[in-house]
Amino acid sequence: MAEMWINMGPQHPMTHGLWNLRVKIDGETIVAAEPEVGYLHRGIEKICEARTYPQIIPIADRLCYGSSLTWSHLYCLTIEDLMDVEVPERAEYIRVMAIEMQRIASHLMWLAAYAGDLGLAVGFTYTMRDREVLVDLLQALTGSRLTYNYPRIGGVAHDLPPDFERDTIRAVQYMEMRLKEYEDLFDGSKIFMMRNVGIGILRKEDGINLGVTGPSLRASGVDYDLRKDMPYSVYPEMDFEVATHEDGDCYARYRVRMDEMWESCRIIRQALQKMPKGRWRIVAPRNAPAGTGLGRVEDPRGEAVMYAVGDGTDRPYRLKIRSPIFVTVSAAPKILVGYKLADVVAIMGGLDMCIGENDR
Amino acid sequence: MDARQRPKPTGIVLKPMRRTGKQLARTLILGKPNTVLYPEEKLDLPQIYRGKHVLDFKKCIGCGNCVLVCPNDCMWLEKVEDPELGKIERPGVDLGRCLFCGFCAEVCPTVALHMTTEFELADRDRDNLRLGPLDIRDDSFGETFIEERQKRLVPVLDLSKCTDCEMCAGECPEMCIAMMPIENTDRKKPEMNLAKCLSHGKCAEACPEKALTMTEVYESYFDMSEPDLVLEKCSGCGACARKCPSEAIYMLEMPGTEKTLKGGKKGKPKKRAVFVLEKCVGCGRCHKACRFDAIDMPGVRK
Amino acid sequence: MNLFEFCHGIIHWLVDLVNNLWYWLGDFLPWYFGDLFTAIGDFAASEGHLLFMTVLVESVVIIVVALINVLNFLWIFRKLSGRILDFYGPYYVGYRIGGWLQNLADGVKLFTKEIITPTKADRLGFLLAPVIFVGSSVTILAVIPLSANFGLSTTSEPGEYVSAGALFALAAFSIAPFAILLAGWSSNNKYTLIGGMRSAAQMMSYEIPLLLAAASVFLLAGSFNFVDIVDAQHDMWFFIPLFIGFVVFLICLIAEVEIIPFDLPEAEAELVEGWTTEYGGMRFGLFYMTTAVRSYAGGALATAFFLGGWQGPWFVPDEIWFLIKAYIVYTVFMWLTWSVPRVRIDQMLVFGWRRLLPLAVLNLLIAAALKSGGWL
């Protein structure tokens, strides 16, 4: 068979969003790949310039459907840096707990999509079912299921609802039980290992040079986690380990995310234990001073950065968003070439695509 | 984890089959699946859930803060005739554009606007999604709703009764009341630093004219912009005071500005607007009502 | 009473009834019409015509029973997948019988849809592919007997069926790759083309171990006839001595009916719907149904070859025993299907040629040793 281009996208089961991966195949082997993004461009950075500071929080939620809470949290961090607002300590603990729950939910959604891609339907339904537990908790906390609109500039919107600690501890116990089941379901399956081990190897140097961050980089053996290396919020007081893996293949990326879920369970328990009493919100100023603010967080998908410029009014002059997935998808051709067509789903699924934040 | 320590999958496919077999036994023989059969059964939603809006007409003062804060411009104020309340203005909401962020309920100074757990809002006609104030009216909803925002007892000033006696300033144990002279008038008004107020209520007890009353006020987390009077431009027409939903604007006479009429008689003195900022909700309606641009309000469009 | 006698009796009764009417009608007519009427009536009552009509009715009965079983298979497929995946499966349509009518409802819905042919498709191939696929698959059902009394035969002797029925079933089973390749190629779509290519490679490489495993059964039974094969298992079902062959046969069947560990031709994630991507409406419905037909045929073959066919305790009729065993085979297929991900094409071919083929040959050697040693 001669070489031919295949469009995987924009409407394709593999893409999980609206983007296009063009691969050139020789028989079943990939010889070139070309990601095309931008189908979901909504101009969020420009929309933000016409909104007041609190009004941007729900828009920041819309950046990523998988982990909307981390993005609104990042936005609030940025604007707090810009306005020089001190957040009450209880709010910081609530935020850390909520974004770790969001991290587990996001990783579970990734696992569901990944299992669905590989053809393991039970993996899809079981993970989505267990994600529901965390989504229900976040719903009780924030009042919504997907776009939470929960962090505020200077705190969080609501205090913990009654019985929330008890429910959270139960949910964490349930999750730890379930994670063992997933390890049986995925690691214990010979066919899953056949599809993952040694596929899509990203070497350490390549990962650093291409700017890949997050679990994909940690799977290549680089110990780089903003929660440890450049701590924000109350992460310095949390006791957890950064999950890394040496191999850099699809299995390593899977393993790193699974280990991160275990660590997130630990962080949630600690945050609940150490949470002080007190206020959860202060009144933030309406206008930001002229100046700049920068926020960097460890998103479930990598390092997310927001940079805000204020000009003394109640609207930002400029808001720049750095999406981790935009960089990761740019690195995809390097990982893809040389593998089989069926490995495209394993590799691209393993990178955890989210097009909302990618196209902004 | 080292590559050599990778777990060996034992039994090729037997481990996952054991898990799915357990699940099969659980759903087929012992119990029922996890699915919620939606139209027949429904999930319990927390009270905090953000669904359809509900407005308490009696609590609402028609300030329009919800309209101001809405990110999608999906709310508007509408004039309604009510047999009890007379001619009033109340907000309506376009659910077709609403993004259910809940800012409108959060910013409401009198906690008149709530969001219910009703989420089945689909309709075949887009016009039916535009809910006017009467469609979202439910005066009894607030009783069933436990408001999370904290209430505070703070003294609220009625400037028309105030006689500048300075009793309140003397009584306050936290020293948070100061009598400030009002420019161009011979009056003074007690300025309260509400951040320091501990709700002792001594000022209200001391007030001989009952101009200060202790009122329950909901805490607001939104820093709304405040009106600022440009005294040279104010004509004293009183349009702002009539428009103010929280009655925070008083028209005071400025002695010494009387015009000499024909025949040597002196006319009435000019008036000026005085803001009692503790009562102000920051809605900007005075700014919109003023035809002389005498009220500055940053961030509010006319 | 077996199926032939039953159908023959019905036809005989019908012909008698009609002929009485016919001759009575002929009495009123002039002599030349009367003679014609008598000739037609005599032909209808002749033995050849009766036999022909009997076989026709027999095949209709067999096809109807088989298709009802196929509907059962589809229902098991959907219900069991639902329960393994933790949801209800079909529920509302046919609420009292567990959602059994859902497949009929889906069929009616698919019938109402427009049949679309892509502009650049090869029209003849596009039309022929489903015909060959469905036709060859449904043909298998004709030769699979449910018991010694329930099958397509031309005599009233029990168990006198098509003499090489098993061979015919396997032959009809392996026509499908041709149709799939035709469908994939004529759709003029890259996904379908790759799907068709994969399907051809997969089916051809798994055909050989399948046939070798079946050959060991034929060797032990000494016949290609279903009845002889099942009778040979009277003392011991073949899956005990030929356990390796049984496993190889099941794995190859999974590959032949294209369910999940080996559903590469319609790998949903990378090739949108594989070789059925361009087919819509009832053509897709026929493909969907035919997959279940092939599952049913596969389960029936495994039952007849290895699981003792219709043999079982007396308190359940033979036909029901056969179906129960076929259902159990299919249930195990489903259980495996939902527990594992899909393999890659090169891994699959390696597995087929390097693992299954030697095992099948080994199994054939065991069968030959058993036969020549006279142990069975």
Side-chain angles (χ1 to χ4, degrees):
Chain A
M1 210 188 292
E3 290 182 355
M4 65 176 174
W5 284 98
I6 283 195
N7 279 299
M8 295 188 121
Q11 307 280 334
H12 194 277
M14 182 274 288
T15 52
H16 307 308
L18 212 53
W19 64 293
N20 189 0
L21 179 70
R22 303 184 70 219
V23 290
K24 193 180 193 181
I25 56 168
D26 177 13
E28 289 249 357
T29 314
I30 299 164
V31 290
E34 220 178 66
E36 284 176 9
V37 294
Y39 291 91
L40 205 63
H41 178 63
R42 293 159 291 174
I44 281 188
E45 289 178 8
K46 196 71 188 168
I47 292 173
C48 291
E49 292 169 18
R51 296 277 186 276
T52 61
Y53 285 110
Q55 282 178 351
I56 299 175
I57 301 170
I59 295 174
D61 268 338
R62 265 86 182 155
L63 275 169
C64 176
Y65 50 84
S67 68
S68 56
L69 198 61
T70 49
W71 282 97
S72 43
H73 172 233
L74 168 62
Y75 170 73
C76 290
L77 276 186
T78 312
I79 302 303
E80 279 152 15
D81 185 29
L82 173 66
M83 292 178 174
D84 243 342
V85 176
E86 276 286 320
V87 182
E89 211 186 353
R90 182 176 177 81
E92 294 275 23
Y93 276 95
I94 294 178
R95 279 182 182 183
V96 164
M97 185 197 64
I99 60 175
E100 289 303 326
M101 273 152 72
Q102 176 72 83
R103 191 183 306 275
I104 299 180
S106 170
H107 280 342
L108 281 181
M109 204 163 109
W110 161 80
L111 193 57
Y114 191 48
D117 277 351
L118 291 178
L120 182 58
V122 281
F124 183 84
T125 50
Y126 291 4
T127 42
M128 283 310 238
R129 176 189 71 197
D130 298 335
R131 176 176 172 270
E132 202 68 5
V133 174
L134 292 162
V135 170
D136 280 348
L137 272 180
L138 284 170
Q139 184 191 19
L141 179 65
T142 66
S144 184
R145 293 179 70 80
L146 193 66
T147 47
Y148 303 107
N149 190 18
Y150 184 58
R152 294 283 186 273
I153 302 161
V156 290
H158 313 285
D159 197 7
L160 299 186
D163 292 342
F164 190 76
E165 285 90 347
R166 185 200 64 191
D167 292 349
T168 312
I169 291 293
R170 278 188 196 170
V172 167
Q173 282 167 356
Y174 177 79
M175 277 315 301
E176 284 171 350
M177 192 182 85
R178 284 294 169 190
L179 285 172
K180 281 187 194 122
E181 175 175 332
Y182 299 149
E183 278 168 11
D184 269 10
L185 210 54
F186 293 96
D187 287 11
S189 166
K190 171 88 177 168
I191 298 178
F192 182 84
M193 300 295 272
M194 269 160 61
R195 286 301 300 276
N196 278 282
V197 175
I199 303 299
I201 291 176
L202 175 69
R203 281 182 298 130
K204 198 188 250 185
E205 309 85 59
D206 286 345
I208 295 171
N209 285 341
L210 292 166
V212 178
T213 47
S216 310
L217 183 67
R218 288 197 284 279
S220 299
V222 183
D223 189 355
Y224 177 67
D225 189 330
L226 284 182
R227 290 177 293 174
K228 278 274 193 225
D229 296 337
M230 203 183 139
Y232 50 95
S233 207
V234 286
Y235 276 113
E237 283 154 45
M238 301 292 169
D239 171 33
F240 67 101
E241 281 163 22
V242 179
T244 54
H245 204 287
E246 288 301 317
D247 293 357
D249 56 359
C250 282
Y251 179 73
R253 289 193 270 274
Y254 155 80
R255 203 56 247 171
V256 162
R257 287 196 171 89
M258 292 297 274
D259 291 346
E260 263 185 28
M261 283 195 255
W262 284 101
E263 296 301 325
S264 291
C265 288
R266 276 175 71 191
I267 297 177
I268 293 173
R269 281 173 192 273
Q270 289 173 36
L272 275 177
Q273 272 172 8
K274 293 182 182 172
M275 192 175 291
K277 292 259 179 271
R279 293 177 63 80
W280 62 91
R281 187 172 180 184
I282 57 161
V283 183
R286 180 183 172 80
N287 297 336
T292 60
L294 177 73
R296 295 171 73 181
V297 297
E298 184 69 29
D299 192 66
R301 290 165 177 76
E303 178 186 343
V305 179
M306 266 195 201
Y307 179 70
V309 181
D311 58 354
T313 61
D314 57 349
R315 283 139 215 256
Y317 175 75
R318 175 84 170 90
L319 187 73
K320 169 81 183 89
I321 302 163
R322 189 258 193 205
S323 145
I325 279 304
F326 184 72
V327 181
T328 312
V329 75
S330 314
K334 186 103 184 163
I335 315 175
L336 281 172
V337 171
Y339 295 99
K340 294 274 185 290
L341 181 62
D343 291 331
V344 171
V345 290
I347 295 167
M348 294 317 294
L351 293 179
D352 197 3
M353 297 293 298
C354 177
I355 295 306
E357 61 175 83
N358 185 355
D359 291 351
R360 302 197 278 287
Chain B
M1 200 184 294
D2 194 39
R4 275 159 287 151
Q5 295 170 351
R6 180 178 299 151
K8 280 266 163 105
T10 49
I12 304 173
V13 293
L14 293 182
K15 241 181 182 177
M17 275 179 84
R18 208 181 69 212
R19 286 292 182 183
T20 46
K22 263 187 194 169
Q23 182 67 40
L24 184 63
R26 202 161 68 225
T27 52
L28 197 64
I29 303 158
L30 302 175
K32 58 179 201 154
N34 193 35
T35 314
V36 176
L37 295 166
Y38 162 61
E40 278 101 39
E41 309 166 17
K42 280 176 192 171
L43 287 174
D44 288 342
L45 292 175
Q47 187 220 329
I48 210 170
Y49 188 79
R50 302 196 294 266
K52 189 192 163 194
H53 302 67
V54 150
L55 180 66
D56 190 339
F57 264 40
K58 287 175 186 154
K59 279 188 184 169
C60 180
I61 54 173
C63 62
N65 270 358
C66 39
V67 182
L68 267 186
V69 84
C70 182
N72 277 11
D73 286 344
C74 68
M75 298 185 84
W76 68 92
L77 279 178
E78 205 172 302
K79 286 186 176 133
V80 212
E81 279 253 26
D82 189 84
E84 249 179 277
L85 304 165
K87 281 188 178 178
I88 44 173
E89 275 192 289
R90 293 291 180 261
V93 59
D94 185 353
L95 291 177
R97 294 174 65 186
C98 182
L99 61 86
F100 297 98
C101 61
F103 277 147
C104 47
E106 212 173 300
V107 81
C108 185
T110 54
V111 198
L113 195 63
H114 295 291
M115 297 184 94
T116 59
T117 54
E118 192 183 336
F119 61 92
E120 291 150 318
L121 304 170
D123 203 291
R124 286 182 184 278
D125 193 353
R126 195 165 283 207
D127 288 344
N128 293 347
L129 292 175
R130 274 178 74 89
L131 301 182
L134 293 173
D135 298 327
I136 58 174
R137 176 174 186 172
D138 184 358
D139 287 359
S140 59
F141 185 76
E143 293 158 16
T144 62
F145 193 88
I146 308 156
E147 176 57 38
E148 197 196 13
R149 276 154 68 187
Q150 288 162 356
K151 279 187 261 186
R152 271 177 82 191
L153 269 179
V154 290
V156 166
L157 176 69
D158 186 355
L159 197 59
S160 54
K161 287 185 188 166
C162 183
T163 53
D164 309 349
C165 64
E166 303 194 14
M167 296 278 277
C168 46
E171 281 294 323
C172 183
E174 303 292 324
M175 308 289 281
C176 57
I177 303 182
M179 297 301 287
M180 302 294 285
I182 305 170
E183 207 181 334
N184 278 12
T185 60
D186 50 358
R187 297 276 304 272
K188 289 178 184 171
K189 108 178 146 69
E191 293 268 356
M192 276 155 252
N193 186 355
L194 289 186
K196 280 164 79 181
C197 177
L198 290 179
S199 316
H200 289 292
K202 293 205 172 152
C203 45
E205 285 167 21
C207 188
E209 302 290 329
K210 304 281 181 218
L212 278 173
T213 42
M214 299 302 286
T215 316
E216 278 189 342
V217 170
Y218 285 98
E219 223 171 356
S220 169
Y221 293 109
F222 281 83
D223 186 19
M224 306 301 290
S225 58
E226 288 182 347
D228 193 16
L229 190 72
V230 184
L231 198 51
E232 299 83 50
K233 288 187 185 170
C234 182
S235 70
C237 63
C240 47
R242 285 194 296 279
K243 274 282 182 188
C244 184
S246 54
E247 294 161 7
I249 305 179
Y250 295 90
M251 303 305 294
L252 292 192
E253 294 176 349
M254 293 192 286
T257 56
E258 297 92 342
K259 276 183 190 163
T260 317
L261 299 175
K262 282 177 211 164
K265 274 202 285 180
K266 282 197 170 179
K268 281 185 179 173
K270 254 178 88 177
K271 287 186 173 179
R272 64 156 287 185
V274 175
F275 302 110
V276 180
L277 287 180
E278 298 90 60
K279 283 158 89 175
C280 176
V281 293
C283 60
R285 304 188 68 179
C286 47
H287 172 67
K288 284 173 191 159
C290 187
R291 280 182 288 143
F292 304 97
D293 292 339
I295 298 177
D296 263 357
M297 210 157 174
V300 178
R301 258 174 278 160
K302 259 206 166 168
Chain C
M1 188 166 71
N2 63 16
L3 187 64
F4 179 83
E5 286 174 7
F6 177 69
C7 295
H8 197 267
I10 288 179
I11 289 296
H12 219 281
W13 177 73
L14 270 178
V15 165
D16 279 356
L17 194 74
V18 172
N19 269 1
N20 280 341
L21 201 71
W22 195 248
Y23 290 139
W24 177 74
L25 204 64
D27 289 347
F28 290 95
L29 293 169
W31 62 269
Y32 42 91
F33 276 126
D35 278 4
L36 189 62
F37 266 52
T38 316
I40 292 174
D42 289 348
F43 170 71
S46 70
E47 200 47 45
H49 177 254
L50 283 181
L51 190 65
F52 177 75
M53 290 308 284
T54 308
V55 171
L56 211 62
V57 171
E58 259 185 315
S59 28
V60 167
V61 169
I62 284 174
I63 290 292
V64 165
V65 168
L67 288 185
I68 288 173
N69 272 313
V70 164
L71 281 181
N72 278 340
F73 263 64
L74 277 173
W75 177 76
I76 289 179
F77 167 66
R78 301 174 91 159
K79 202 74 181 171
L80 205 69
S81 353
R83 292 305 169 114
I84 288 180
L85 303 182
D86 210 355
F87 58 86
Y88 278 91
Y91 189 75
Y92 290 107
V93 188
Y95 177 79
R96 302 219 174 265
I97 44 176
W100 194 85
L101 295 176
Q102 181 67 51
N103 290 307
L104 292 179
D106 284 354
V108 169
K109 179 239 180 194
L110 283 172
F111 259 118
T112 62
K113 304 207 99 177
E114 185 189 354
I115 295 175
I116 299 168
T117 310
T119 319
K120 291 187 176 173
D122 183 330
R123 289 182 165 268
L124 184 64
F126 197 74
L127 182 69
L128 268 183
V131 173
I132 298 172
F133 188 57
V134 174
S136 69
S137 301
V138 171
T139 313
I140 311 169
L141 303 177
V143 295
I144 294 176
L146 294 191
S147 76
N149 293 324
F150 194 95
L152 195 65
S153 72
T154 50
T155 61
S156 55
E157 289 284 312
E160 284 294 314
Y161 298 138
V162 187
S163 53
L167 204 60
F168 181 83
L170 287 172
F173 211 76
S174 51
I175 296 178
F178 172 65
I180 291 173
L181 190 55
L182 186 61
W185 179 75
S186 63
S187 299
N188 201 1
N189 178 323
K190 287 170 185 170
Y191 300 130
T192 58
L193 182 60
I194 296 174
M197 289 292 178
R198 281 182 180 185
S199 177
Q202 166 181 337
M203 290 208 171
M204 280 161 199
S205 54
Y206 276 66
E207 200 70 38
I208 297 163
L210 181 84
L211 289 178
L212 283 177
S216 63
V217 172
F218 299 151
L219 190 63
L220 278 192
S223 168
F224 290 132
N225 195 331
F226 274 110
V227 181
D228 296 343
I229 292 170
V230 172
D231 285 344
Q233 299 178 55
H234 187 265
D235 299 327
M236 184 188 279
W237 294 356
F238 281 162
F239 86 95
I240 298 165
L242 301 179
F243 188 73
I244 302 171
F246 181 56
V247 173
V248 169
F249 192 79
L250 284 189
I251 293 174
C252 293
L253 271 184
I254 291 174
E256 290 283 315
V257 301
E258 293 179 1
I259 53 179
I260 258 184
F262 302 128
D263 78 332
L264 301 160
E266 40 192 284
E268 195 184 293
E270 65 255 28
L271 312 172
V272 181
E273 200 38 54
W275 52 276
T276 58
T277 304
E278 294 289 351
Y279 284 91
M282 199 54 210
R283 283 182 187 166
F284 170 75
L286 281 176
F287 279 141
Y288 191 78
M289 189 202 77
T290 308
T291 315
V293 168
R294 291 170 70 80
S295 307
Y296 170 60
L301 286 180
T303 308
F305 288 169
F306 291 99
L307 294 176
W310 46 81
Q311 289 173 4
W314 56 270
F315 49 85
V316 177
D318 286 355
E319 293 83 3
I320 305 293
W321 267 122
F322 190 85
L323 290 179
I324 285 175
K325 286 174 188 171
Y327 286 170
I328 287 174
V329 170
Y330 189 62
T331 308
V332 173
F333 277 9
M334 282 295 110
W335 185 10
L336 177 70
T337 289
W338 296 119
S339 306
V340 290
R342 180 182 299 129
V343 300
R344 217 167 54 206
I345 182 73
D346 55 333
Q347 292 165 345
M348 173 170 180
L349 294 184
V350 163
F351 186 63
W353 289 104
R354 292 206 196 138
R355 302 283 189 283
L356 289 187
L357 192 58
L359 281 178
V361 172
L362 178 68
N363 179 60
L364 192 60
L365 288 179
I366 292 174
L370 287 176
K371 186 74 178 172
S372 55
W375 291 306
L376 269 175

